[in-house]
Amino acid sequence: QLSRLYGQLYALQGKHSQALQSFAEDVYYCSLEYGTQDVRTSLGFYNLGKVFQSKGEMEKCGRCCEQVLDIWLNALTDTVLGEGGPDDGGRMPISEAQLAEVIEMLHDILDIFTRRFGPNHNRNADIHFSLGLAFIHLGDNSAAYRSISASKAGFSRQPEKMAHYYESLAKLGVPDLSM
């Protein structure tokens, strides 16, 4: 946690090298404690991505954002759709307030990817779907439906993901009205 705080301080001061070092340490220590694919490790990857973005290194920023997205897509799919779920019975190891911050983080990644690749990039569908699952977990079914519906166009180009799309709509108790 101390490495993360120093990274934030260095990032605010524009000391990119020190910020990257501190955030890399944060990822390392969180990975040791929780694993590289744990949601608690994702913030370190996101912070690394933001520093790379501020340096104009968008390829590295994108790789970090991809890692964050993969972590959250898997965790939310497991938790909300019940595909294995975390060891603690399907509960996320973070609070609802922290999940709201994750939603902001995913919106930021969506903005980064949209500016970089355009609105129809396949990963944007994954982001919309992740947002929808996060909203389901928070009980905001209206926002969940909007986000999950936004994922359909991208998922229609990825047939293996359409099952998750329909499963999430069923979780919301609504049919696919766009057919």
Side-chain angles (χ1 to χ4, degrees):
Q1 195 96 353
L2 193 56
S3 296
R4 183 177 301 163
L5 292 173
Y6 274 116
Q8 291 169 341
L9 175 65
Y10 291 138
L12 286 171
Q13 293 173 335
K15 297 178 180 178
H16 296 124
S17 295
Q18 292 98 324
L20 289 172
Q21 177 65 37
S22 293
F23 289 138
E25 288 175 9
D26 178 46
V27 168
Y28 174 76
Y29 290 118
C30 284
S31 295
L32 285 178
E33 188 167 346
Y34 308 114
T36 57
Q37 297 301 305
D38 190 90
V39 296
R40 292 164 286 198
T41 306
S42 70
L43 184 56
F45 286 113
Y46 177 72
N47 287 330
L48 283 169
K50 293 304 285 182
V51 174
F52 285 127
Q53 180 185 28
S54 68
K55 291 180 67 171
E57 296 181 27
M58 295 310 292
E59 184 70 29
K60 291 177 183 176
C61 169
R63 280 192 224 118
C64 291
C65 290
E66 290 259 354
Q67 183 69 22
V68 172
L69 176 56
D70 289 339
I71 289 169
W72 281 102
L73 180 60
N74 291 332
L76 288 164
T77 299
D78 288 348
T79 300
V80 175
L81 299 182
E83 297 182 5
D87 293 335
D88 60 354
R91 290 188 346 263
M92 298 294 283
I94 61 171
S95 69
E96 285 188 7
Q98 289 169 317
L99 188 55
E101 291 175 11
V102 169
I103 289 170
E104 289 180 33
M105 182 173 63
L106 290 170
H107 276 294
D108 185 45
I109 293 171
L110 178 63
D111 185 52
I112 291 167
F113 283 8
T114 300
R115 281 188 273 125
R116 188 156 182 239
F117 303 114
N120 296 322
H121 189 262
N122 284 344
R123 293 312 309 250
N124 289 2
D126 289 331
I127 297 169
H128 285 295
F129 188 71
S130 297
L131 286 165
L133 293 175
F135 286 125
I136 289 173
H137 194 68
L138 291 174
D140 187 346
N141 290 352
S142 174
Y145 182 76
R146 285 191 306 275
S147 293
I148 290 169
S149 295
S151 72
K152 185 177 183 184
F155 280 1
S156 66
R157 295 185 301 271
Q158 305 171 70
E160 70 280 2
K161 293 189 177 181
M162 285 304 290
H164 284 142
Y165 168 79
Y166 290 114
E167 191 176 346
S168 62
L169 288 180
K171 191 87 164 176
L172 288 169
V174 295
D176 180 16
L177 301 175
S178 62
M179 296 183 80

